[in-house]
Amino acid sequence: MRMVRASSSVFCVSVTAACLLAACGDGGGKKARFLIGFSQCNLAEPWRQAMNDDALREAANYKDLIEVEFQDANNDDATQVSQLRTFIRKGVDLIIVSPRTKQPCVEPVKEAIVRGIPVIVLDRDLETEAYTCFIGAPNYDIGKAAGNYIVEVLGGRGKVLEIQGLLASVPAEERRNGFRDAIRDHPGIEVIDAPEGRWLREEGQKKMEVALQAHEEIDLVYAHNDPMAIGAYLAAEAKGRDDDILFVGIDGLPGEDDGPKAVLDGHLSATFLYPTCGKEAIATAVKILKGEPAPKKIALETALITKENAALYYRPKAR
Amino acid sequence: MSHQTPRESSLSRHLRRFQGGIGLVAVFLLACLFGRSHRGDLVFIRPDNLTDILRDASEKGILAVGMTFVILTAGIDLSVGRILALACMLTGHFLMVWQWPALAVIALVLGAGLAMGFLNGLIVTRGRLQPFVVTLATMLVFYGLAKLVTGGPVIGMSAAPAGFQVLAGELFAGVRVPIVVFLGSVVAGELVLRGTVFGRFVYAVGGNEVAARFAGVPVSSVKAWVYAISGLLSALAGVLHCAQYKQADPNVGAGYELDAIAAVVIGGTNLMGGRGSVLGTMAGVLIVGIIDNILQINGIDPNLQKVIKGAIILGAALLQRRKGQS
């Protein structure tokens, strides 16, 4: 009896697994000419989800030519490295990787290149130049653009609260340095405090609550991303001080809770686009697969999003 | 062993004892059947793919061997992933910043891992606290300590001395040092459990702690030592991690404890303690590794992958429940 039960349960588990595999395995239908493997380091971040969405939308324009297979490395280097190796083993025609950190992916990227598989690296650069193409948007330049805008909008005079991203992370450092360099020659702009908001809306809100207690006068809040800027706005609104303070963020994602919508609603005065590279990655991949030349490095530019143009960046149904 | 019913046939007992092995064979065959091919060869069965699976599974496999000891005593160790991270940071700091010789660094870090695990064990036994609570707390402590080493940034280790990089090196035909260390820890673990008095004590403590105490088993020290073993193996995995991925990152290892526990459960070790084996755990580790690999080869949606893996762990836990009833 027991033997029958034990073996039947092993059997059940196996069969379930088999059915799942069979159900999803070859669901693709007709085959495109080229298969692209896309390893995203962490899909839990909205910006990275937007990157995948942009890539998927662009890939829809080349349905007969390419098929893109997305993998999520769950913010784990070992998983990402394993995904890249599996892409190589299964013989994808091109790899797109948005790496978590700059070192671990170096070895599989080199291996792919040796085996003739082109590799496009997105957003974070690797500690090698062995890849085919790197696409990214320099955070330093975005920070600088934000700084220049802030100088202009404040007329060269005012008290600024800077809410920083995760300290010691590269994007936070670059968004700070660009901003600080832009305001250096304008002594009228004073940074009264620069708390860490860890990229999170709740943290931005909390840090703003503290700042509102500590400072009678705040003219502008510069947050390293939109969620923190929106959080800061909410804190000021709750205290009835939102009319005296301007809010500036970075990212410009298209969703309901993101920067452009907040600009349209008049909560933020501006945000700066941090382009996701998803669309450009697919466009470049198509070029490479067709044998056309592609540049080694592509630097995407930011865009100032204000009330005049925010509607162009707000695409609630796109997500 | 103490729960076996006398009516049970020997065939069924064997079948259950080798649950992990049977599952492994089943998953392997299914992977062969349903895996995609590329230019006529089955991708899954290619030797380089098989060694990739072993290589990717080796670090979590080493954690899972230690976890098996802890779970056999009806305990749990949630701190393994963070001990791994702290071991990485210590290795990076000693080797790259202080430039100590590789062998000394490895010995020191392994010793530190042993001490961290022993600390877990001491708090569990002396403090008479639930292992879940103790290791939940120390998980946080070790994570904080790992972050404190640099204050956040990773330590690049691509320029580590050759004597250290050997740890990620290839021995023959794609078989790398971490694979050998994993298989070695399985053999050592199995030998200790089957062939030593300490091993028998481990099963006795997990089977029935009160009876073990009356029979003269030094329950507290057995418990302290299983956590120490787990800490040692976690640090070992951490050292290998630095060598394999060429950086020490304080944020590594999040959720590794859950993967290790899942592998132990799938391998047939009872979470209530007293029953199971390191060989079963090895089968569990490989089952998870093969499933991960085949889901990727077939290009399954990453969100669906999580659902499928969860379902498989549940299935294995259901088998556990049947085993527990007698």
Side-chain angles (χ1 to χ4, degrees), chain B residues 152-181:
Chain B
V154 301
I155 304 173
M157 296 184 64
S158 45
F164 184 74
Q165 296 201 10
V166 167
L167 289 177
E170 185 171 346
L171 296 170
F172 57 91
V175 175
R176 281 166 188 272
V177 175
I179 299 178
V180 177
V181 175

Side-chain angles (χ1 to χ4, degrees), chain A residues 2-10 13-22 24-28 31 35 43 49 67 69-72 74-79 81-93 100-105 107 111 115 127 166-168 173, chain B residues 5 8-9 11-12 15-16 19 22-23 26 30-31 34 36 38 43 46 48-49 52 55-56 59-60 151-154 156-158 176 241 244-247 249 251-253 256 293-306 308 311-312 315-316 319 322 325-326:
Chain A
R2 289 194 153 267
M3 184 196 76
V4 175
R5 256 165 74 182
S7 57
S8 66
S9 35
V10 168
V13 171
S14 313
V15 168
T16 317
C19 293
L20 283 166
L21 281 175
C24 339
D26 290 314
K31 292 240 156 87
L35 178 62
L43 262 191
Q49 180 65 54
E67 183 192 339
E69 190 183 295
F70 291 93
Q71 293 291 348
D72 175 9
N74 300 315
N75 209 21
D76 182 53
D77 289 325
T79 306
V81 167
S82 154
Q83 285 170 357
L84 296 182
R85 283 205 208 100
T86 307
F87 284 151
I88 298 171
R89 302 295 169 250
K90 67 191 267 192
V92 299
D93 299 292
R100 177 176 174 271
T101 49
K102 60 184 179 181
Q103 187 54 59
C105 293
E107 191 188 306
E111 186 182 343
R115 297 189 184 225
E127 231 177 66
L166 189 69
L167 290 184
E173 241 160 58
Chain B
T5 46
E8 192 175 33
S9 77
L11 182 60
S12 100
L15 198 70
R16 294 213 249 132
Q19 176 200 315
I22 294 167
L30 287 168
F34 293 102
R36 261 193 205 164
H38 171 59
V43 176
R46 285 171 52 148
D48 51 1
N49 188 57
D52 279 353
R55 184 179 174 186
D56 291 335
E59 281 172 23
K60 284 180 188 165
V154 301
M157 296 184 64
S158 45
R176 281 166 188 272
H241 189 90
Q244 289 215 84
Y245 300 104
K246 298 195 170 55
Q247 71 177 17
D249 178 353
N251 295 310
V252 80
Y256 282 22
N293 181 258
I294 198 70
L295 291 175
Q296 276 178 44
I297 286 178
N298 283 16
I300 309 281
D301 176 80
N303 298 323
L304 197 56
Q305 285 188 21
K306 297 178 178 93
I308 294 173
I312 288 167
L319 287 174
R322 292 212 170 133
Q325 290 169 346
S326 48

Side-chain angles (χ1 to χ4, degrees), chain B residues 5-312:
Chain B
T5 46
R7 282 168 296 163
E8 192 175 33
S9 77
S10 73
L11 182 60
S12 100
R13 216 165 60 224
H14 277 91
L15 198 70
R16 294 213 249 132
R17 208 174 136 199
F18 298 117
Q19 176 200 315
I22 294 167
L24 180 59
V25 172
V27 169
F28 190 90
L29 292 176
L30 287 168
C32 292
L33 270 174
F34 293 102
R36 261 193 205 164
S37 26
H38 171 59
R39 297 209 184 109
D41 322 332
L42 212 53
V43 176
F44 172 71
I45 205 83
R46 285 171 52 148
D48 51 1
N49 188 57
L50 293 177
T51 50
D52 279 353
I53 294 175
L54 275 170
R55 184 179 174 186
D56 291 335
S58 56
E59 281 172 23
K60 284 180 188 165
I62 293 167
L63 297 183
V65 170
M67 189 68 79
T68 309
F69 276 81
V70 174
I71 288 179
L72 279 173
T73 65
I76 199 90
D77 187 352
L78 300 180
S79 68
V80 292
R82 298 312 189 176
I83 294 181
L84 181 147
L86 183 49
C88 271
M89 295 311 289
L90 293 177
T91 308
H93 194 75
F94 294 157
L95 206 62
M96 307 307 292
V97 181
W98 288 353
Q99 310 248 320
W100 288 358
L103 222 59
V105 170
I106 295 166
L108 201 69
V109 170
L110 294 186
L114 188 80
M116 288 181 240
F118 203 73
L119 181 74
N120 276 336
L122 278 185
I123 303 173
V124 167
T125 53
R126 294 292 164 86
R128 292 164 193 260
L129 288 171
Q130 294 282 347
F132 188 96
V133 176
V134 171
T135 57
L136 184 70
T138 55
M139 168 167 85
L140 206 62
V141 170
F142 296 141
Y143 180 39
L145 291 174
K147 294 277 268 191
L148 278 172
V149 174
T150 60
V154 301
I155 304 173
M157 296 184 64
S158 45
F164 184 74
Q165 296 201 10
V166 167
L167 289 177
E170 185 171 346
L171 296 170
F172 57 91
V175 175
R176 281 166 188 272
V177 175
I179 299 178
V180 177
V181 175
F182 166 45
L183 298 179
S185 67
V186 168
V187 172
E190 195 66 24
L191 286 177
V192 167
L193 283 180
R194 301 278 160 209
T196 66
V197 176
F198 173 74
R200 259 165 240 200
F201 285 174
V202 169
Y203 282 102
V205 169
N208 187 336
E209 194 175 321
V210 178
R213 207 180 288 276
F214 278 123
V217 174
V219 173
S220 292
S221 78
V222 169
K223 279 190 172 179
W225 275 105
V226 293
Y227 289 93
I229 290 171
S230 178
L232 172 72
L233 290 174
S234 306
L236 180 60
V239 171
L240 292 172
H241 189 90
C242 289
Q244 289 215 84
Y245 300 104
K246 298 195 170 55
Q247 71 177 17
D249 178 353
N251 295 310
V252 80
Y256 282 22
E257 66 284 348
L258 301 180
D259 291 333
I261 294 167
V264 172
V265 169
I266 291 172
T269 294
N270 193 327
L271 277 177
M272 309 300 280
R275 269 200 282 178
S277 70
V278 171
L279 275 180
T281 295
M282 182 180 80
V285 168
L286 296 180
I287 287 173
V288 175
I290 290 173
I291 289 169
D292 269 339
N293 181 258
I294 198 70
L295 291 175
Q296 276 178 44
I297 286 178
N298 283 16
I300 309 281
D301 176 80
N303 298 323
L304 197 56
Q305 285 188 21
K306 297 178 178 93
V307 175
I308 294 173
K309 276 178 71 178
I312 288 167

